[in-house]
């Protein structure tokens, strides 16, 4: 995408699916990076997750200057800067730290966003699933428990990991979780869900 095309991309709104992808990514491994024009979304995973990066690229390629690249053991791309990403930066970050924007998430979160978040930060744990939310505070994690219960009927608890907090989806909610997100889980990331 040349400069002119990038300029045109900034005038286009993200689709609902693209917005959910971005939200799920920000909660997970995605990062809103500063640019001279505002903020871009940086997607960065290990080379073992190349197929996942390619999947993410396919969702948002019309907002990306160049195809994913390899750098050492990493595989990554970034979008052009976009006014909506600048707005999301102000919603999801306080100073340079990611936060949980409670009011925003109540209105802007669906099973596709949940699937992206789990493909980013989920980890199978026997018959359960952990979501690595250690970067969020205890209060934010407790809010996420209530949010998942209210929004989807998914029960979860706090799991302590080296004095940090993360979520553990209850065994009793795993079937419901799988029903909600399996349609969106790509084959190479299915290991994130327990059998």
């Amino acid at each position: 995408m040349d400069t002119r095309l990038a300029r045109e991309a900034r005038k286009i709104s993200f689709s609902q699916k693209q917005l959910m992808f971005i939200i799920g990514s920000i909660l997970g491994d995605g990062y809103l990076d500063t640019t001279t024009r505002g903020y871009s979304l940086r997607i960065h995973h290990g080379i073992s997750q190349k197929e996942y990066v390619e999947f993410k690229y396919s969702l948002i390629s019309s907002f990306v200057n160049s195809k994913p690249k390899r750098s050492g053991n990493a595989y990554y791309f970034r979008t052009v800067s976009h006014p909506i990403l600048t707005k999301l930066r102000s919603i999801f970050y306080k100073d340079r730290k990611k936060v949980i924007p409670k009011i925003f998430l109540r209105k802007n979160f669906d099973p596709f966003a949940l699937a992206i978040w789990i493909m980013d930060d989920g980890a199978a744990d026997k018959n359960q699933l952990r979501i690595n939310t250690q970067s969020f505070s205890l209060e934010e994690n407790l809010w996420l428990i209530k949010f998942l219960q209210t929004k989807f009927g998914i029960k979860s608890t706090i799991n302590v990991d080296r004095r940090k907090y993360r979520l553990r989806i209850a065994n009793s909610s795993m079937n419901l979780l799988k029903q909600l997100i399996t349609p969106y889980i790509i084959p190479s990331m299915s290991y994130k869900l327990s059998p």
Side-chain angles (χ1 to χ4, degrees), residues 75-91:
Y75 200 59
Y76 71 96
F77 69 87
R78 77 179 181 106
T79 68
V80 299
S81 56
H82 195 283
I84 292 174
L85 297 177
T86 299
K87 183 178 179 183
L88 289 173
R89 173 77 190 199
S90 70
I91 292 170

Side-chain angles (χ1 to χ4, degrees), residues 4-142:
R4 183 179 60 80
L5 292 174
R7 204 163 42 238
E8 291 303 310
R10 291 185 189 101
K11 297 176 186 175
I12 303 168
S13 292
F14 295 111
S15 69
Q16 180 67 11
K17 186 172 185 179
Q18 288 170 330
L19 183 61
M20 291 302 107
F21 154 69
I22 292 166
I23 290 168
S25 292
I26 294 171
L27 285 173
D29 295 327
Y31 182 76
L32 291 175
D33 226 352
T34 186
T35 70
T36 55
R37 291 181 166 270
Y39 288 91
S40 66
L41 175 66
R42 184 177 175 88
I43 300 297
H44 187 113
H45 293 279
I47 193 64
S48 64
Q49 294 184 337
K50 179 179 178 181
E51 185 181 322
Y52 184 42
V53 174
E54 295 283 355
F55 166 72
K56 286 186 168 188
Y57 173 74
S58 75
L59 293 171
I60 205 159
S61 60
S62 55
F63 295 91
V64 179
N65 266 324
S66 55
K67 291 182 178 180
K69 298 174 187 168
R70 181 172 183 167
S71 175
N73 289 324
Y75 200 59
Y76 71 96
F77 69 87
R78 77 179 181 106
T79 68
V80 299
S81 56
H82 195 283
I84 292 174
L85 297 177
T86 299
K87 183 178 179 183
L88 289 173
R89 173 77 190 199
S90 70
I91 292 170
F92 276 92
Y93 289 78
K94 188 171 183 181
D95 299 320
R96 293 185 176 186
K97 181 175 169 53
K98 278 186 192 180
V99 296
I100 296 295
K102 300 169 185 174
I103 294 169
F104 179 82
L105 283 181
R106 281 191 193 110
K107 297 177 182 175
N108 301 281
F109 198 76
D110 70 7
F112 183 61
L114 179 61
I116 295 290
W117 184 28
I118 286 173
M119 284 190 283
D120 272 25
D121 278 348
D125 187 0
K126 297 179 182 174
N127 293 326
Q128 299 177 332
L129 176 94
R130 290 191 317 268
I131 305 177
N132 291 309
T133 52
Q134 292 97 321
S135 63
F136 300 121
S137 69
L138 174 59
E139 186 270 331
E140 287 172 312
N141 274 280
L142 290 169

Side-chain angles (χ1 to χ4, degrees), residues 143-155:
W143 184 85
L144 286 168
I145 288 173
K146 290 179 185 172
F147 172 67
L148 291 173
Q149 171 76 48
T150 303
K151 187 87 176 175
F152 303 114
I154 295 170
K155 295 178 182 176

